[in-house]
Amino acid sequence: MISLPGLCLTTGRFGVARDILAAFAGAVHDGLLPNRFTDSGTGAEYNTVDASLWFFHAVHQYAVQSGDWTSRPGRCFPS
């Protein structure tokens, strides 16, 4: 999440950013957002206290820079 604005948003890769945000939001477990996914692709790691803060910062930066205010967290989180 920390690097998402620099790697995706400043380069205009808004679709990639939206997919990354959706992937992290889809991995919520017991109310926690993962801070990373394992290299082997077998799961997510939940060992940080600030993952949700970085997630919402990235969502806000996505909305501001892309102008897409309809893909906010409400659409990312499963119902």
Side-chain angles (χ1 to χ4, degrees):
M1 287 303 119
I2 295 170
S3 61
L4 185 133
L7 293 174
C8 294
L9 302 180
T10 59
T11 58
R13 298 170 60 197
F14 301 122
V16 173
R18 187 175 50 248
D19 292 345
I20 291 169
L21 293 170
F24 274 81
V28 171
H29 177 70
D30 292 335
L32 298 173
L33 282 161
N35 59 305
R36 69 180 294 269
F37 293 96
T38 60
D39 293 335
S40 64
T42 58
E45 294 182 6
Y46 301 87
N47 55 8
T48 184
V49 297
D50 59 358
S52 59
L53 298 173
W54 283 113
F55 176 78
F56 283 104
H57 173 74
V59 167
H60 180 258
Q61 289 301 309
Y62 167 79
V64 168
Q65 293 186 36
S66 71
D68 179 6
W69 291 90
T70 61
S71 296
R72 292 189 318 208
R75 287 202 171 179
C76 292
F77 289 117
S79 52

Coordinates of all heavy atoms in Angstrom, one line a residue:
M1 N 0.8 -1.2 0.0 CA 0.0 0.0 0.0 C 0.8 1.3 0.0 O 0.5 2.2 -0.6 CB -0.9 0.0 1.2 CG -2.1 -0.9 1.2 SD -3.1 -0.7 -0.2 CE -2.9 -2.3 -1.0
I2 N 2.0 1.2 0.7 CA 2.8 2.4 0.7 C 3.3 2.8 -0.7 O 3.3 4.0 -1.0 CB 4.0 2.1 1.7 CG1 3.5 1.9 3.1 CG2 5.0 3.3 1.6 CD1 4.6 1.4 4.1
S3 N 3.6 1.8 -1.5 CA 4.2 2.2 -2.8 C 3.1 2.3 -3.9 O 3.4 2.7 -5.0 CB 5.2 1.1 -3.2 OG 4.6 -0.2 -3.3
L4 N 1.9 1.9 -3.6 CA 0.8 2.0 -4.7 C 0.7 3.3 -5.3 O 0.7 3.4 -6.6 CB -0.5 1.5 -4.1 CG -1.6 1.4 -5.1 CD1 -2.3 0.1 -4.9 CD2 -2.6 2.5 -5.0
P5 N 0.6 4.4 -4.6 CA 0.5 5.7 -5.3 C 1.7 6.0 -6.3 O 1.4 6.5 -7.4 CB 0.5 6.8 -4.2 CG -0.1 6.0 -3.0 CD 0.5 4.6 -3.1
G6 N 2.9 5.7 -5.9 CA 4.0 6.0 -6.7 C 4.1 5.0 -7.9 O 4.5 5.5 -9.0
L7 N 3.9 3.8 -7.7 CA 4.0 2.8 -8.7 C 2.9 2.7 -9.7 O 3.1 2.5 -10.9 CB 4.2 1.4 -8.1 CG 5.5 1.2 -7.4 CD1 5.6 -0.2 -6.7 CD2 6.7 1.4 -8.3
C8 N 1.7 3.0 -9.2 CA 0.5 2.8 -10.1 C -0.2 4.1 -10.5 O -0.6 4.3 -11.6 CB -0.5 1.9 -9.4 SG 0.0 0.2 -9.2
L9 N -0.3 5.0 -9.5 CA -1.1 6.2 -9.7 C -0.4 7.3 -10.5 O -0.9 7.8 -11.5 CB -1.7 6.8 -8.4 CG -2.5 5.8 -7.6 CD1 -3.0 6.5 -6.3 CD2 -3.7 5.3 -8.4
T10 N 0.9 7.5 -10.2 CA 1.6 8.5 -10.9 C 1.9 8.1 -12.3 O 2.2 8.9 -13.2 CB 2.9 8.9 -10.2 OG1 3.7 7.8 -10.0 CG2 2.6 9.5 -8.8
T11 N 1.9 6.8 -12.6 CA 2.1 6.3 -13.9 C 0.8 6.1 -14.7 O 0.9 5.6 -15.8 CB 2.9 4.9 -13.9 OG1 2.1 4.0 -13.1 CG2 4.3 5.1 -13.2
G12 N -0.3 6.4 -14.1 CA -1.6 6.3 -14.8 C -2.1 4.9 -14.9 O -3.0 4.6 -15.7
R13 N -1.6 4.0 -14.1 CA -2.1 2.6 -14.1 C -3.3 2.4 -13.1 O -3.2 1.7 -12.1 CB -0.9 1.7 -13.8 CG 0.2 1.8 -14.9 CD 1.4 1.1 -14.5 NE 1.2 -0.3 -14.3 CZ 2.1 -1.1 -13.7 NH1 3.2 -0.6 -13.2 NH2 1.8 -2.4 -13.6
F14 N -4.3 3.1 -13.4 CA -5.5 3.1 -12.4 C -6.2 1.8 -12.3 O -6.6 1.4 -11.3 CB -6.4 4.2 -12.8 CG -5.8 5.6 -12.8 CD1 -5.8 6.4 -14.0 CD2 -5.2 6.1 -11.7 CE1 -5.3 7.6 -14.0 CE2 -4.6 7.4 -11.7 CZ -4.6 8.1 -12.9
G15 N -6.3 1.1 -13.4 CA -6.9 -0.3 -13.4 C -6.1 -1.2 -12.5 O -6.7 -2.0 -11.7
V16 N -4.8 -1.2 -12.6 CA -3.9 -2.0 -11.8 C -4.1 -1.7 -10.3 O -4.2 -2.5 -9.4 CB -2.5 -1.9 -12.2 CG1 -1.5 -2.7 -11.2 CG2 -2.3 -2.4 -13.6
A17 N -4.1 -0.3 -10.0 CA -4.3 0.1 -8.6 C -5.6 -0.4 -8.1 O -5.7 -0.9 -6.9 CB -4.2 1.6 -8.6
R18 N -6.7 -0.3 -8.9 CA -8.0 -0.7 -8.4 C -8.0 -2.2 -8.2 O -8.6 -2.7 -7.2 CB -9.1 -0.3 -9.5 CG -10.5 -0.6 -9.0 CD -11.5 -0.1 -10.1 NE -11.2 -0.6 -11.4 CZ -10.8 0.2 -12.4 NH1 -10.7 1.5 -12.3 NH2 -10.6 -0.3 -13.6
D19 N -7.4 -3.0 -9.0 CA -7.3 -4.4 -8.8 C -6.5 -4.8 -7.5 O -6.9 -5.7 -6.8 CB -6.6 -5.1 -10.0 CG -7.5 -5.1 -11.2 OD1 -8.7 -4.8 -11.1 OD2 -7.0 -5.3 -12.3
I20 N -5.4 -4.0 -7.3 CA -4.6 -4.3 -6.0 C -5.5 -4.0 -4.8 O -5.5 -4.7 -3.8 CB -3.4 -3.4 -6.1 CG1 -2.4 -4.0 -7.1 CG2 -2.7 -3.4 -4.7 CD1 -1.2 -3.0 -7.4
L21 N -6.2 -2.8 -4.8 CA -7.0 -2.5 -3.7 C -8.1 -3.5 -3.5 O -8.4 -3.9 -2.3 CB -7.6 -1.1 -3.9 CG -6.7 0.1 -3.9 CD1 -7.3 1.3 -4.4 CD2 -6.0 0.3 -2.5
A22 N -8.7 -4.0 -4.5 CA -9.8 -5.0 -4.4 C -9.2 -6.3 -3.9 O -9.9 -7.0 -3.1 CB -10.4 -5.2 -5.8
A23 N -8.0 -6.7 -4.3 CA -7.4 -7.9 -3.8 C -7.1 -7.8 -2.3 O -7.4 -8.8 -1.6 CB -6.1 -8.2 -4.5
F24 N -6.6 -6.7 -1.9 CA -6.4 -6.6 -0.4 C -7.7 -6.6 0.4 O -7.8 -7.2 1.4 CB -5.5 -5.3 -0.1 CG -4.0 -5.6 -0.2 CD1 -3.4 -5.6 -1.5 CD2 -3.3 -5.8 0.9 CE1 -2.1 -5.8 -1.6 CE2 -1.9 -6.1 0.8 CZ -1.3 -6.1 -0.4
A25 N -8.7 -5.8 -0.2 CA -9.9 -5.8 0.5 C -10.6 -7.1 0.6 O -11.3 -7.5 1.5 CB -10.9 -4.7 -0.2
G26 N -10.4 -7.9 -0.5 CA -11.0 -9.3 -0.5 C -10.4 -10.2 0.4 O -10.9 -11.3 0.7
A27 N -9.2 -9.9 1.0 CA -8.5 -10.8 1.9 C -8.7 -10.4 3.3 O -7.9 -10.9 4.2 CB -7.0 -10.7 1.5
V28 N -9.7 -9.5 3.6 CA -9.9 -9.2 5.0 C -10.3 -10.5 5.8 O -11.0 -11.3 5.4 CB -11.1 -8.2 5.1 CG1 -11.6 -8.0 6.5 CG2 -10.7 -6.9 4.5
H29 N -9.7 -10.6 7.0 CA -9.9 -11.7 7.8 C -10.0 -11.3 9.3 O -9.1 -10.6 9.8 CB -8.7 -12.7 7.7 CG -8.8 -13.9 8.6 ND1 -9.7 -14.9 8.4 CD2 -8.1 -14.3 9.6 CE1 -9.6 -15.8 9.3 NE2 -8.6 -15.5 10.1
D30 N -11.1 -11.6 9.9 CA -11.4 -11.2 11.3 C -11.2 -9.6 11.4 O -10.7 -9.2 12.4 CB -10.5 -11.9 12.3 CG -10.8 -13.4 12.4 OD1 -12.0 -13.7 12.1 OD2 -9.9 -14.1 12.7
G31 N -11.6 -8.9 10.4 CA -11.6 -7.5 10.5 C -10.2 -6.9 10.2 O -10.0 -5.7 10.3
L32 N -9.2 -7.7 9.8 CA -7.9 -7.2 9.6 C -7.6 -7.2 8.1 O -8.0 -8.2 7.4 CB -6.8 -8.1 10.3 CG -6.9 -8.2 11.8 CD1 -6.0 -9.2 12.3 CD2 -6.6 -6.8 12.4
L33 N -6.9 -6.2 7.6 CA -6.3 -6.2 6.3 C -4.9 -6.8 6.3 O -4.2 -6.6 7.2 CB -6.3 -4.8 5.8 CG -7.6 -4.2 5.3 CD1 -7.5 -2.7 5.3 CD2 -8.0 -4.7 4.0
P34 N -4.6 -7.5 5.2 CA -3.2 -8.1 5.2 C -2.2 -7.0 4.9 O -2.6 -6.0 4.2 CB -3.3 -9.1 4.1 CG -4.4 -8.6 3.2 CD -5.4 -8.0 4.1
N35 N -1.0 -7.1 5.3 CA 0.0 -6.2 4.9 C 0.8 -6.7 3.7 O 1.4 -5.9 3.0 CB 1.0 -5.9 6.0 CG 1.7 -7.1 6.6 OD1 1.1 -8.1 7.0 ND2 3.0 -7.0 6.6
R36 N 0.7 -8.0 3.4 CA 1.4 -8.5 2.2 C 0.8 -9.9 2.0 O 0.2 -10.6 2.8 CB 2.9 -8.6 2.4 CG 3.4 -9.6 3.4 CD 4.9 -9.6 3.5 NE 5.6 -10.0 2.3 CZ 5.9 -11.3 2.1 NH1 5.6 -12.2 2.9 NH2 6.6 -11.6 1.0
F37 N 1.1 -10.4 0.7 CA 0.7 -11.8 0.4 C 2.0 -12.5 0.2 O 3.1 -12.0 -0.1 CB 0.0 -11.8 -1.0 CG -1.4 -11.2 -0.9 CD1 -1.6 -9.9 -1.3 CD2 -2.5 -11.9 -0.4 CE1 -2.9 -9.3 -1.2 CE2 -3.7 -11.4 -0.3 CZ -3.9 -10.0 -0.7
T38 N 2.0 -13.8 0.6 CA 3.2 -14.6 0.5 C 3.7 -14.7 -0.9 O 3.0 -14.7 -1.9 CB 3.0 -16.0 1.1 OG1 2.0 -16.7 0.3 CG2 2.5 -16.0 2.5
D39 N 5.0 -14.9 -1.0 CA 5.6 -15.1 -2.4 C 5.1 -16.3 -3.1 O 5.1 -16.4 -4.3 CB 7.2 -15.1 -2.3 CG 7.7 -13.8 -1.8 OD1 7.1 -12.8 -2.0 OD2 8.8 -13.8 -1.2
S40 N 4.8 -17.4 -2.3 CA 4.3 -18.6 -2.9 C 2.9 -18.5 -3.3 O 2.4 -19.4 -4.0 CB 4.5 -19.7 -1.9 OG 3.7 -19.5 -0.8
G41 N 2.2 -17.4 -2.9 CA 0.8 -17.3 -3.3 C -0.2 -18.1 -2.5 O -1.3 -18.4 -2.8
T42 N 0.3 -18.6 -1.3 CA -0.5 -19.5 -0.5 C -1.3 -18.8 0.6 O -2.1 -19.4 1.3 CB 0.4 -20.6 0.2 OG1 1.3 -19.9 1.0 CG2 1.0 -21.5 -0.8
G43 N -1.1 -17.5 0.7 CA -1.9 -16.8 1.7 C -1.5 -15.4 1.9 O -0.6 -14.9 1.2
A44 N -2.0 -14.8 2.9 CA -1.7 -13.4 3.3 C -1.1 -13.3 4.7 O -1.4 -14.2 5.5 CB -3.0 -12.6 3.2
E45 N -0.4 -12.3 4.9 CA 0.2 -12.1 6.3 C -0.5 -10.9 6.9 O -0.7 -9.9 6.3 CB 1.7 -11.8 6.2 CG 2.4 -13.1 5.7 CD 3.9 -12.8 5.6 OE1 4.4 -11.8 6.0 OE2 4.6 -13.7 5.1
Y46 N -0.8 -11.1 8.2 CA -1.6 -10.1 9.0 C -0.7 -9.7 10.2 O -1.1 -9.9 11.3 CB -2.9 -10.6 9.4 CG -3.8 -11.1 8.3 CD1 -3.7 -12.4 7.8 CD2 -4.7 -10.2 7.7 CE1 -4.5 -12.8 6.7 CE2 -5.5 -10.6 6.7 CZ -5.4 -11.9 6.2 OH -6.2 -12.3 5.2
N47 N 0.4 -9.1 10.0 CA 1.3 -8.8 11.1 C 1.7 -7.3 11.1 O 2.9 -7.0 11.3 CB 2.5 -9.7 11.0 CG 3.3 -9.6 9.7 OD1 3.0 -8.8 8.9 ND2 4.2 -10.5 9.5
T48 N 0.8 -6.5 11.0 CA 1.1 -5.0 11.1 C -0.2 -4.3 11.7 O -1.3 -4.8 11.5 CB 1.4 -4.4 9.7 OG1 1.8 -3.1 9.9 CG2 0.3 -4.5 8.8
V49 N 0.1 -3.2 12.3 CA -1.0 -2.5 12.9 C -1.5 -1.4 12.0 O -2.6 -0.8 12.3 CB -0.6 -1.9 14.3 CG1 -0.3 -3.0 15.3 CG2 0.5 -0.9 14.2
D50 N -0.7 -1.0 11.0 CA -1.1 0.1 10.2 C -1.6 -0.2 8.8 O -1.7 0.7 7.9 CB 0.0 1.1 10.2 CG 1.3 0.6 9.6 OD1 1.3 -0.6 9.2 OD2 2.3 1.4 9.5
A51 N -1.9 -1.5 8.5 CA -2.3 -1.9 7.2 C -3.6 -1.1 6.8 O -3.7 -0.7 5.6 CB -2.5 -3.4 7.1
S52 N -4.5 -1.0 7.7 CA -5.8 -0.4 7.3 C -5.6 1.1 7.1 O -6.2 1.7 6.2 CB -6.8 -0.6 8.4 OG -6.4 -0.1 9.6
L53 N -4.7 1.8 7.8 CA -4.4 3.2 7.5 C -3.8 3.4 6.2 O -4.2 4.3 5.4 CB -3.5 3.7 8.6 CG -4.0 3.7 10.0 CD1 -2.9 4.1 11.0 CD2 -5.2 4.5 10.2
W54 N -2.8 2.6 5.8 CA -2.2 2.7 4.5 C -3.2 2.3 3.4 O -3.2 2.9 2.3 CB -1.0 1.8 4.3 CG 0.2 2.4 5.0 CD1 0.8 1.9 6.2 CD2 0.9 3.6 4.7 NE1 1.9 2.7 6.5 CE2 1.9 3.8 5.6 CE3 0.7 4.5 3.6 CZ2 2.8 4.8 5.5 CZ3 1.6 5.6 3.6 CH2 2.6 5.7 4.5
F55 N -4.1 1.4 3.6 CA -5.1 1.0 2.7 C -6.0 2.2 2.4 O -6.3 2.5 1.2 CB -6.0 -0.2 3.2 CG -7.1 -0.5 2.2 CD1 -6.9 -1.3 1.1 CD2 -8.4 -0.1 2.5 CE1 -7.9 -1.6 0.2 CE2 -9.4 -0.5 1.7 CZ -9.2 -1.2 0.5
F56 N -6.6 2.8 3.4 CA -7.5 3.9 3.2 C -6.7 5.2 2.6 O -7.3 5.9 1.8 CB -8.3 4.3 4.4 CG -9.4 3.3 4.7 CD1 -9.2 2.3 5.6 CD2 -10.5 3.3 3.9 CE1 -10.2 1.4 5.8 CE2 -11.5 2.4 4.1 CZ -11.4 1.4 5.0
H57 N -5.5 5.3 2.9 CA -4.7 6.4 2.3 C -4.6 6.1 0.8 O -4.8 7.0 -0.1 CB -3.3 6.5 2.9 CG -2.4 7.4 2.2 ND1 -2.5 8.8 2.3 CD2 -1.4 7.2 1.4 CE1 -1.6 9.4 1.5 NE2 -0.9 8.4 1.0
A58 N -4.3 4.9 0.4 CA -4.2 4.5 -1.0 C -5.5 4.6 -1.7 O -5.6 5.1 -2.9 CB -3.7 3.1 -1.1
V59 N -6.6 4.3 -1.1 CA -7.9 4.4 -1.7 C -8.2 5.9 -2.0 O -8.7 6.2 -3.0 CB -9.0 3.8 -0.8 CG1 -10.4 4.2 -1.3 CG2 -8.9 2.3 -0.8
H60 N -7.9 6.7 -1.0 CA -8.2 8.1 -1.2 C -7.3 8.7 -2.3 O -7.8 9.5 -3.1 CB -7.9 8.9 0.1 CG -8.1 10.3 0.0 ND1 -7.1 11.3 -0.1 CD2 -9.3 11.1 0.0 CE1 -7.6 12.5 -0.2 NE2 -8.9 12.4 -0.2
Q61 N -6.0 8.3 -2.3 CA -5.2 8.8 -3.4 C -5.6 8.3 -4.8 O -5.6 9.0 -5.7 CB -3.7 8.3 -3.1 CG -3.1 9.1 -2.0 CD -3.0 10.6 -2.2 OE1 -2.6 11.0 -3.2 NE2 -3.5 11.3 -1.2
Y62 N -6.1 7.1 -4.8 CA -6.7 6.5 -6.0 C -7.8 7.4 -6.5 O -7.9 7.8 -7.7 CB -7.1 5.1 -5.8 CG -8.0 4.6 -7.0 CD1 -7.4 4.1 -8.2 CD2 -9.4 4.6 -6.9 CE1 -8.2 3.7 -9.2 CE2 -10.2 4.2 -7.9 CZ -9.6 3.7 -9.1 OH -10.4 3.4 -10.2
A63 N -8.8 7.7 -5.6 CA -9.9 8.5 -6.0 C -9.5 9.9 -6.5 O -10.0 10.4 -7.5 CB -10.9 8.5 -4.8
V64 N -8.6 10.5 -5.7 CA -8.2 11.9 -6.1 C -7.5 11.9 -7.4 O -7.8 12.7 -8.3 CB -7.3 12.4 -5.0 CG1 -6.6 13.7 -5.4 CG2 -8.1 12.7 -3.7
Q65 N -6.6 11.0 -7.6 CA -5.7 11.1 -8.8 C -6.4 10.5 -10.1 O -6.2 11.0 -11.2 CB -4.4 10.3 -8.6 CG -3.6 11.1 -7.6 CD -2.2 10.5 -7.4 OE1 -1.6 10.0 -8.4 NE2 -1.7 10.5 -6.2
S66 N -7.3 9.5 -9.9 CA -8.0 8.9 -11.1 C -9.3 9.6 -11.4 O -9.8 9.5 -12.5 CB -8.3 7.4 -10.8 OG -9.3 7.3 -9.8
G67 N -9.9 10.3 -10.4 CA -11.2 10.9 -10.5 C -12.3 9.9 -10.4 O -13.5 10.3 -10.6
D68 N -12.0 8.7 -10.1 CA -13.0 7.6 -10.0 C -13.5 7.5 -8.5 O -12.9 6.8 -7.7 CB -12.4 6.3 -10.4 CG -13.3 5.1 -10.3 OD1 -14.5 5.3 -10.0 OD2 -12.9 4.0 -10.6
W69 N -14.5 8.2 -8.2 CA -15.1 8.2 -6.9 C -16.1 7.1 -6.7 O -16.6 7.0 -5.6 CB -15.7 9.6 -6.5 CG -14.6 10.6 -6.4 CD1 -14.1 11.4 -7.4 CD2 -13.8 10.9 -5.2 NE1 -13.1 12.2 -6.9 CE2 -12.9 11.9 -5.6 CE3 -13.8 10.5 -3.9 CZ2 -12.0 12.5 -4.7 CZ3 -12.9 11.0 -3.0 CH2 -12.0 12.0 -3.4
T70 N -16.4 6.3 -7.7 CA -17.4 5.3 -7.6 C -16.8 4.0 -7.1 O -17.5 3.1 -6.7 CB -18.2 5.1 -8.9 OG1 -17.2 4.7 -9.9 CG2 -18.9 6.3 -9.3
S71 N -15.5 3.8 -7.2 CA -14.8 2.6 -6.8 C -14.2 2.7 -5.4 O -13.2 2.1 -5.1 CB -13.7 2.2 -7.8 OG -14.3 2.0 -9.0
R72 N -14.9 3.4 -4.5 CA -14.4 3.6 -3.2 C -14.5 2.3 -2.4 O -15.0 1.3 -2.9 CB -15.2 4.7 -2.5 CG -14.9 6.1 -3.1 CD -15.5 7.2 -2.4 NE -16.8 6.9 -1.9 CZ -17.8 7.8 -1.7 NH1 -17.5 9.1 -2.0 NH2 -19.0 7.5 -1.3
P73 N -14.0 2.3 -1.1 CA -14.0 1.1 -0.4 C -15.3 0.3 -0.3 O -15.3 -0.9 -0.2 CB -13.6 1.5 1.0 CG -12.9 2.8 0.8 CD -13.5 3.4 -0.4
G74 N -16.4 0.9 -0.4 CA -17.7 0.2 -0.4 C -17.8 -0.8 -1.5 O -18.4 -1.9 -1.3
R75 N -17.2 -0.5 -2.6 CA -17.2 -1.5 -3.7 C -16.1 -2.5 -3.6 O -16.1 -3.6 -4.2 CB -17.0 -0.8 -5.0 CG -18.3 -0.1 -5.4 CD -18.3 0.1 -6.9 NE -19.6 0.7 -7.3 CZ -19.9 1.0 -8.5 NH1 -19.0 0.8 -9.4 NH2 -21.1 1.4 -8.8
C76 N -15.1 -2.2 -2.8 CA -14.0 -3.2 -2.6 C -14.3 -4.2 -1.6 O -13.9 -5.4 -1.8 CB -12.7 -2.4 -2.1 SG -12.0 -1.3 -3.4
F77 N -15.0 -3.8 -0.5 CA -15.2 -4.8 0.5 C -16.4 -5.7 0.2 O -17.4 -5.3 -0.4 CB -15.6 -4.1 1.9 CG -14.4 -3.4 2.5 CD1 -14.4 -2.0 2.6 CD2 -13.3 -4.1 2.9 CE1 -13.3 -1.4 3.2 CE2 -12.2 -3.5 3.5 CZ -12.2 -2.1 3.6
P78 N -16.2 -7.0 0.5 CA -17.3 -7.9 0.2 C -18.5 -7.6 1.1 O -18.4 -7.1 2.2 CB -16.7 -9.3 0.6 CG -15.6 -9.0 1.4 CD -15.1 -7.6 1.1
S79 N -19.7 -7.8 0.6 CA -20.9 -7.5 1.4 C -21.3 -8.7 2.3 O -20.8 -9.8 2.2 CB -22.1 -7.2 0.5 OG -22.3 -8.2 -0.5

